[in-house]
């Protein structure tokens, strides 16, 4: 059983920065991926970023690469999403997810992830 808990969302202004956190508990696998997805009400869920264990490979949505950066703290079992130069179109609920035994070809596919947090709201005001 894996439990994921996101935090760090809030209301910010255009151009601000924000760091989201996701703390994981449970799980025994040594091969998995942790990812961030986001969803706007009425829109499809979309991939943001992911990190793969044990090699640490990172993956980003093309449109966000350079502004959003993912990192991990193995001791704290926590992953982070550092968001900079925020824009109104970044407003969404951001979800943390975990995928066991990932393969590169599907690591961006939310439908393949087995565990999800409840999400944290990010609102960017213009």
């Amino acid at each position: 059983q894996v439990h994921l808990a996101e935090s760090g969302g809030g209301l910010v202004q255009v151009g601000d920065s924000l760091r989201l956190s996701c703390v994981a508990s449970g799980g025994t696998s040594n091969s998995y991926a942790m990812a961030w997805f986001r969803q706007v009400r009425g829109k499809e869920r979309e991939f943001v970023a992911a990190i793969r264990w044990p090699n640490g490979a990172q993956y980003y949505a093309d449109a966000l690469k350079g502004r959003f950066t993912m990192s991990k703290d193995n001791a704290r079992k926590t992953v982070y999403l550092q968001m900079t130069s925020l824009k109104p179109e970044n407003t969404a609920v951001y979800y943390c997810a975990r995928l066991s035994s990932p393969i590169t070809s599907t690591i961006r596919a939310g439908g393949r992830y087995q565990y999800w947090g409840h999400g944290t709201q990010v609102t960017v005001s213009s």
Side-chain angles (χ1 to χ4, degrees), residues 47-49 58-69 84 108:
F47 172 79
V48 175
Q58 299 186 36
Y59 308 82
Y60 293 92
D62 290 341
L64 303 176
K65 190 175 181 64
R67 293 198 301 114
F68 287 20
T69 303
T84 62
R108 297 171 182 261

Side-chain angles (χ1 to χ4, degrees), residues 1-3 25-29 77 98:
Q1 179 71 37
V2 175
H3 177 73
S25 61
T28 59
S29 176
K77 297 183 178 180
R98 172 170 165 143

Side-chain angles (χ1 to χ4, degrees), residues 78-94:
T78 302
V79 296
Y80 304 93
L81 182 67
Q82 180 67 45
M83 305 181 291
T84 62
S85 301
L86 284 165
K87 306 173 182 179
E89 54 263 41
N90 300 140
T91 295
V93 177
Y94 285 72

Side-chain angles (χ1 to χ4, degrees), residues 1-8 20-29 32-37 45 49-51 53 70 72-73 76-80 93-100 110 112-120:
Q1 179 71 37
V2 175
H3 177 73
L4 306 175
E6 308 99 328
S7 63
L20 307 182
S21 300
C22 175
V23 180
S25 61
T28 59
S29 176
Y32 60 95
M34 296 285 290
W36 291 96
F37 292 81
R45 176 182 57 201
I51 292 181
W53 277 258
M70 196 169 178
K72 62 184 177 70
D73 185 332
R76 294 180 178 272
K77 297 183 178 180
T78 302
V79 296
Y80 304 93
V93 177
Y94 285 72
Y95 295 92
C96 180
R98 172 170 165 143
L99 172 63
S100 298
R112 304 298 295 270
Y113 282 70
Q114 296 96 352
Y115 304 98
W116 294 84
H118 291 153
T120 184

